Amino acid sequence: MSWMASARHGVREAPAGLALVQELLNTRATMHYGADLLLLADDAQRWLTEAITTWSRVSGLPAPTLLISSSDLRSLRRLRTTFEHVIAAAGKENLDGALPPADVPVSLVPDADGWVRMVPTGRGTRWLASALWAEALLAQQAGLWPRLKLCHNGDCRAAFFDTSRNNSGVWHDVSTCGNTANLRAFRERKRLMGGSGGQSRPPVGGPPSYR
């Protein structure tokens, strides 16, 4: 059984190490996709072990063995909320107040070819925070960060990587969240019109696909 959070939503995985940030965001319980993976220590441990193993394979960097205790869960959920706010800010969503500084260390390590690599440091959840912020910075430098988004369905908010040509995607899945939003908007228009007219028809097929 896979404990990868993004797989529950059926979303396209973000490229390279950015997938680790996407994984954290998708641990939240949403709609019918499953429970919050950061609610219980056992679930969080299974998710984290698989997530950082995958990250290590993709990044080519070693990952420590992180053991999660019940006291770490609040820190993990707080870290998830922080990244939700950062993603929302990148998407021009209104936020109350400025975002706090990350306050995590990283190491800059030259490899055998003289290229400098950003290597996460720290222990426990501090190492994870270091890895996440490092990947966020690398994604911004590569121009990938604006394509990591949260679904506009307020009941969903799944993190997805937008592959549309003009970066215009707003739903993690058009056939579910997109059609639900269209139907809700249709019913609201009908309500405002007093249910009269008889010419309006519910949307068929949802909005154009962004994935």
Side-chain angles (χ1 to χ4, degrees), residues 25-112:
L25 294 168
N26 281 333
T27 57
R28 186 180 292 280
T30 55
M31 299 174 66
H32 55 275
Y33 298 111
D36 190 329
L37 295 180
L38 302 184
L39 189 61
L40 301 174
D42 286 347
D43 289 348
Q45 185 67 68
R46 293 187 186 98
W47 165 76
L48 182 59
T49 298
E50 189 162 351
I52 64 175
T53 298
T54 301
W55 172 86
S56 178
R57 184 173 63 250
V58 170
S59 67
L61 294 173
T65 300
L66 301 185
L67 299 179
I68 297 299
S69 66
S70 297
S71 60
D72 292 322
L73 295 177
R74 180 176 296 181
S75 295
L76 289 173
R77 292 193 295 265
R78 186 164 53 243
L79 186 61
R80 178 177 64 190
T81 298
T82 297
F83 273 96
E84 287 173 341
H85 290 166
V86 175
I87 292 292
K92 310 304 180 185
E93 298 183 36
N94 293 327
L95 296 175
D96 295 328
L99 297 171
D103 190 27
V104 291
V106 294
S107 294
L108 301 178
V109 181
D111 63 18

Side-chain angles (χ1 to χ4, degrees), residues 129-164:
S130 178
L132 289 162
W133 285 112
E135 292 300 347
L137 178 59
L138 292 172
Q140 290 181 354
Q141 293 174 335
L144 299 174
W145 186 253
R147 290 188 175 273
L148 184 60
K149 301 177 179 181
L150 299 176
C151 181
H152 275 211
N153 181 350
D155 295 328
C156 175
R157 301 298 276 173
F160 68 100
F161 188 76
D162 185 7
T163 58
S164 64

